[in-house]
Amino acid sequence: MTQNEMKKAAAIKALEFVENDTIVGVGTGSTVNYFIDALATIKNKIIGAVSSSDESSKRLKAHGIEVFDLNSVDVLDVYVDGADEITKHKAMIKGGGAALTREKIVAAVAKKFICIADTSKQVAVLGSFPLPVEVIPMARSYVARELVNLGGDPVYRQGVVTDNSNVILDVYNLEILDPKALEAQINAIVGVVTNGLFAHRGADILVLGSEDGVSVVI
Ligand code: 5RP
């Protein structure tokens, strides 16, 4: 199987976690795009979706799936999203697609986080993938200096403005041995909106596409 076939297989398998007559939390990225396309095949069985990005909202609407404002939704049973890296404890780095803040908000509301990924995303230690940090534009240089003090090498993601009108710093060369501690430490820097470590609220279930097929890791 190619990487895209693994992503697609994981995305289709994740449909098994979607209950009838519910609103589904939907992430962002190429793996999630396969999930949205799969969700369209059962669109008459669900009420609709809450989306983590303008990009995903557009794709959901193009399929005729209603997109709800999170403020009008009390309960989300599942949130389905991809990851840039995931450990065996299901802590993740996310935000390669710059949607990390909304992803973290929707994930916080959901009862279960289902991560859909291919095997290339599995790591022993987080940090080979540069850690995205969403920053208020006027704080960019200050936050970058603070991130250097934490041992990282922040790089401004040129030309990218998030759905919340902020900028992204990608932090290279972090060996993240304590993801929960670093997630809290970076979020405490003034000017940071959030960072792409999903450790306090990691995934509950990993649906993994591999050469041998799809497995569900609980
Ligand atoms: C977007 C994300 C994505 O989930 C992550 O980048 C994985 O993307 P892909 O499924 O395209 O590999 O966090 O902000």
Side-chain angles (χ1 to χ4, degrees), residues 176-195:
I176 304 170
L177 299 174
D178 188 344
K180 281 188 180 167
L182 189 65
E183 182 179 0
Q185 213 173 357
I186 295 177
N187 282 345
I189 301 171
V190 174
V192 168
V193 180
T194 197
N195 71 81

Side-chain angles (χ1 to χ4, degrees), residues 14 17-18 23-28 32 35 50-53 56 76-82 92 94 99-116 198 201-205:
F17 294 93
V18 175
I23 297 178
V24 185
V26 174
T28 300
V32 165
F35 176 70
V50 167
S51 165
S52 64
S53 65
S56 289
L76 280 179
D77 286 338
V78 293
Y79 175 63
V80 180
D81 200 356
M92 295 166 284
K94 294 184 42 54
L100 60 158
T101 299
R102 293 190 187 189
E103 290 173 344
K104 209 174 259 197
I105 293 168
V106 185
V109 175
K111 288 186 193 157
K112 273 206 166 64
F113 188 135
I114 317 288
C115 178
I116 49 177
F198 284 58
R201 205 287 176 254
D204 299 296
I205 292 169

Side-chain angles (χ1 to χ4, degrees), residues 3 7 27-33 52 79 81-85 93-101 103 116-118 121 129 132 157 198:
Q3 188 183 21
K7 288 181 178 190
T28 300
S30 58
T31 316
V32 165
N33 283 344
S52 64
Y79 175 63
D81 200 356
D84 297 303
E85 288 185 344
I93 285 183
K94 294 184 42 54
L100 60 158
T101 299
E103 290 173 344
I116 49 177
D118 64 273
K121 307 296 181 66
F129 190 92
R157 203 184 290 182
F198 284 58

